[in-house]
């Protein structure tokens, strides 16, 4: 009896999959002059920042948050984003100047991944609480520096792992905790990105390991966090293989980006950004300031990340996982199974498919020597399977949730990133990589 439900409370909170103790991001400290609304600033005002953590917050949480500053290295994008968010705070291209002038109490970090750590650390050193988009960091040095800064300043980091808050993912957690399949022995997890969504990572900065840490980190951090949380366990060792088989140098032709490309008519990956007014304003209208093409060519020669990835991961509770991530598929979604001592929890998630699907997620509980039972799920609308809305409410509305749904902390951010960093290192160094060789917790 050693699945996550049966661990003692003390053992359970030690693992990455557990939640931070209540993180009082919105509790006020009058002795610090904190007023009724927390002073909120953002660095990185692209799509994610201006939407999920910008316009949506300004519209729905104005009673608890006051936007005091926005910062981005692109002077045009930060102004365009401010207009799109409908907020009335100053815009900056210098982070320190923003902090000096606007004195934020809470910072949202939504920059390119490689720069998360520098802003997280600067904010913590100024006594500012931090929310950061995933991945928290892209390498082990950044990881150590962020964890050290949090400890040194006694502040809090929340890593906004929205996937945990999709009701289907909560349901999986609850079935595992119920003990129905007993101790989890192994996990089969295959994530599929289709030729539209997958290709999008190869158009932009994500195509470079130095910017996004490769999809092992940028994308798989979501999946590794889910697994750590579902299992209530830490990753211990990773062995991986990967290749670049479709994008980058594999293309027969290439351009800088799609708009001026002479191969539009014969390229299956042609993306017409001119049909998206928001992206035209936020990216095409600002590209002369930094050369960032939102419709970049997926066949650029400099692409150094992988589109085909496989890993074997060992966990602290003895479970193992066979994981794969493929980024040029005709289907979008995942196959997942937990193989337990008493049975199997079997999940097929259908996001966009080239055929009509009746149900997005199909979950079956299959007992050894027993029957198959379908697990029904509530129908929830909203971004990332309903996870985005629930996460925002949890942060800003102090809704009551069971312990296992509390906000993910820096340890969860670290353990999920480190799984991907270990996988990347394993591919590069052709050896199994232990998490403990990369970090002091
Ligand atoms: N949780 C999710 O489901 C989810 C979804 C999308 C994106 N994200 C995360 O959100 C973040 C932003 O993603 P995005 O899609 O908006 O990317 P984006 O490229 O659209 O936006 C990134 C912004 O950061 C700015 N920037 C780059 N370097 C900077 C620096 N050194 N200092 C300040 N600003 C800098 C860019 O100019 C750009 O405006 C990423 O970390 C990404 O992983 C999370």
């Amino acid at each position: 009896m050693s699945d996550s439900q049966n661990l003692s409370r003390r053992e359970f909170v030690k693992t990455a999959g557990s939640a931070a103790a209540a993180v009082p991001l919105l509790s006020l400290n009058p002795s610090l002059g904190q007023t009724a609304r927390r002073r909120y600033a953002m660095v990185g005002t692209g799509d994610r920042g201006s939407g999920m953590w910008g316009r949506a917050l300004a519209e729905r949480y104005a009673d608890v948050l006051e936007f005091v500053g926005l910062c981005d290295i692109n002077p045009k994008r930060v102004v365009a984003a401010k207009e799109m968010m409908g907020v009335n705070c100053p815009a900056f291209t210098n982070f320190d100047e923003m902090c000096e002038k606007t004195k934020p109490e809470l910072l949202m970090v939504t920059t390119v991944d490689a720069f998360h750590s520098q802003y997280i650390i600067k904010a913590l050193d100024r006594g500012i609480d931090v929310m950061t988009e995933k991945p928290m960091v892209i390498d082990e040095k950044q990881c150590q520096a962020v964890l050290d800064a949090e400890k040194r300043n006694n502040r809090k980091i929340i890593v906004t792992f929205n996937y945990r808050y999709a009701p289907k993912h909560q349901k999986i957690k609850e079935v595992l905790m119920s003990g129905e399949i007993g101790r989890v022995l192994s996990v089969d997890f295959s994530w599929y990105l289709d030729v539209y969504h997958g290709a999008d990572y190869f158009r932009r900065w994500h195509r470079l390991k130095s910017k996004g840490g490769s999809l092992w980190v940028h994308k798989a951090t979501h999946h590794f966090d889910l697994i750590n949380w579902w299992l209530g366990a830490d990753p211990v060792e990773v062995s991986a293989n990967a290749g670049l088989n479709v994008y980058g140098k594999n293309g027969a032709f290439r351009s800088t980006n799609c708009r001026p490309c002479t191969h539009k008519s014969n390229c299956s990956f042609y993306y017409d950004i001119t049909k998206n007014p928001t992206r035209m304003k936020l990216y095409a209208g600002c590209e002369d300031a930094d050369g960032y093409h939102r419709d970049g060519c997926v066949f650029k020669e400099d692409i150094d990340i992988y589109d085909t990835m496989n890993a074997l991961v060992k966990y602290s509770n003895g479970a193992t996982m066979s994981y794969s991530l493929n980024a040029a598929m005709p289907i979008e979604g995942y196959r997942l199974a937990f193989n337990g001592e008493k049975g199997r929890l079997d999940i097929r998630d259908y996001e966009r498919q080239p055929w009509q699907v009746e149900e997005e997620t199909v979950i079956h509980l299959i007992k050894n020597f027993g029957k198959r039972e379908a697990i029904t799920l509530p129908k929830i609308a909203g971004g990332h399977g309903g996870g985005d809305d629930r996460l925002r409410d949890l942060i800003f509305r102090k809704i009551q949730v069971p312990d296992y749904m509390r906000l993910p902390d820096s340890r969860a951010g670290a353990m999920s990133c480190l799984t991907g960093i270990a996988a990347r290192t394993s591919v590069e160094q052709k050896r199994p990589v232990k998490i403990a060789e990369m970090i002091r917790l």
Side-chain angles (χ1 to χ4, degrees):
M1 298 287 273
S2 60
D3 67 87
S4 56
Q5 188 197 31
N6 298 316
L7 290 174
S8 73
R9 166 82 188 138
R10 208 171 65 80
E11 285 166 320
F12 190 63
V13 294
K14 276 198 302 193
T15 63
S18 69
V23 181
L25 268 194
L26 292 182
S27 60
L28 303 168
N29 185 345
S31 67
L32 297 176
Q34 289 170 353
T35 53
R37 294 152 85 212
R38 291 301 298 271
R39 298 175 66 78
Y40 174 76
M42 176 188 297
V43 62
T45 58
D47 238 344
R48 189 69 176 165
S50 56
M52 169 84 180
W53 303 109
R55 192 176 54 252
L57 296 194
E59 282 170 4
R60 298 183 216 169
Y61 303 92
D63 56 321
V64 289
L65 282 182
E66 178 189 1
F67 279 72
V68 295
L70 302 175
C71 177
D72 197 286
I73 43 163
N74 186 318
K76 290 189 166 178
R77 189 171 304 115
V78 70
V79 171
K82 180 178 149 175
E83 278 173 28
M84 288 167 55
M85 292 183 208
V87 296
N88 191 24
C89 61
F92 298 87
T93 53
N94 182 305
F95 181 76
D96 294 317
E97 187 191 348
M98 175 175 80
C99 292
E100 287 301 319
K101 291 196 171 150
T102 70
K103 304 276 183 265
E105 294 160 344
L106 177 59
L107 176 73
M108 182 72 222
V109 180
T110 36
T111 64
V112 164
D113 302 346
F115 307 110
H116 289 183
S117 66
Q118 73 185 50
Y119 293 116
I120 294 172
I121 293 168
K122 276 181 184 227
L124 294 169
D125 284 341
R126 287 175 178 274
I128 301 168
D129 285 322
V130 176
M131 303 195 303
T132 180
E133 261 300 350
K134 47 54 59 177
M136 186 172 81
V137 293
I138 66 160
D139 64 37
E140 62 271 41
K141 276 196 185 137
Q142 291 184 352
C143 191
Q144 191 69 61
V146 163
L147 296 177
D148 291 348
E150 189 184 36
K151 254 184 228 155
R152 160 171 90 233
N153 290 292
N154 197 23
R155 307 302 313 175
K156 276 290 162 216
I157 300 172
I158 286 177
V159 184
T160 53
F161 282 123
N162 46 341
Y163 282 29
R164 286 194 192 189
Y165 295 93
K168 59 191 174 189
H169 295 151
Q170 178 173 348
K171 188 70 174 179
I172 292 169
K173 173 78 180 159
E174 287 164 355
V175 176
L176 292 172
M177 288 177 70
S178 74
E180 288 273 15
I181 65 164
R183 184 166 70 97
V184 174
L185 306 174
S186 68
V187 182
D188 312 322
F189 198 1
S190 301
W191 199 287
Y192 311 108
L193 298 170
D194 71 10
V195 281
Y196 307 102
H197 184 193
D200 217 34
Y201 295 110
F202 294 81
R203 299 184 195 291
R204 306 179 274 157
W205 49 266
H206 314 65
R207 74 184 189 280
L208 301 173
K209 285 183 196 167
S210 61
K211 294 286 171 58
S214 80
L215 294 182
W216 279 125
V217 178
H218 174 80
K219 190 69 195 169
T221 187
H222 273 306
H223 315 152
F224 296 143
D225 176 64
L226 284 174
I227 290 291
N228 293 343
W229 173 63
W230 279 326
L231 292 179
D234 282 342
V236 173
E237 185 185 279
V238 186
S239 310
N241 288 295
L244 177 62
N245 295 307
V246 176
Y247 305 105
K249 58 183 172 357
N250 297 291
F253 47 75
R254 53 194 44 81
S255 175
T256 51
N257 59 313
C258 290
R259 271 161 295 154
C261 185
T262 53
H263 303 282
K264 281 178 193 171
S265 57
N266 57 328
C267 180
S268 313
F269 291 99
Y270 170 60
Y271 166 52
D272 187 359
I273 193 175
T274 64
K275 292 198 172 129
N276 184 326
T278 306
R279 288 192 173 164
M280 285 302 283
K281 179 169 174 172
L282 204 51
Y283 298 99
C286 309
E287 68 193 12
D288 58 326
D290 60 5
Y292 178 1
H293 293 129
R294 182 64 186 77
D295 61 344
C297 180
V298 300
F299 296 131
K300 274 193 181 149
E301 299 267 8
D302 66 354
I303 291 175
D304 67 358
I305 63 165
Y306 313 105
D307 51 30
T308 313
M309 289 149 274
N310 297 85
L312 285 174
V313 186
K314 291 184 189 167
Y315 288 91
S316 56
N317 62 354
T320 53
M321 172 172 69
S322 159
Y323 170 83
S324 69
L325 175 59
N326 285 284
M329 293 285 101
I331 58 172
E332 176 89 10
Y334 60 85
R335 278 181 193 280
L336 167 65
F338 294 89
N339 305 306
E341 277 181 328
K342 297 196 262 175
R344 171 175 161 106
L345 186 62
D346 189 285
I347 301 117
R348 179 71 171 90
D349 190 74
Y350 302 94
E351 291 188 38
R352 177 177 40 213
Q353 311 294 319
W355 70 89
Q356 193 73 29
V357 286
E358 283 191 11
E359 291 202 52
E360 185 177 298
T361 310
V362 180
I363 306 185
H364 285 109
L365 176 63
I366 312 160
K367 296 303 241 346
N368 289 355
F369 312 107
K371 296 213 160 124
R372 185 178 90 153
E373 177 196 336
I375 308 274
T376 50
L377 292 168
K379 298 254 181 267
I380 301 268
H384 295 103
D388 287 351
D389 285 337
R390 297 179 81 221
L391 174 61
R392 280 184 298 234
D393 274 352
L394 181 57
I395 297 173
F396 299 114
R397 291 283 173 228
K398 293 185 188 164
I399 51 172
Q400 293 300 310
V401 285
D403 254 15
Y404 57 88
M405 295 309 294
R406 294 252 193 99
L407 294 167
D409 60 4
S410 58
R411 196 171 188 286
M415 282 302 174
S416 58
C417 287
L418 287 167
T419 318
I421 295 165
R424 192 182 66 215
T425 308
S426 172
V427 174
E428 285 163 358
Q429 299 184 3
K430 298 186 172 41
R431 66 177 180 95
V433 175
K434 289 198 189 316
I435 302 300
E437 69 184 75
M438 298 192 291
I439 198 84
R440 285 186 327 276
L441 283 172

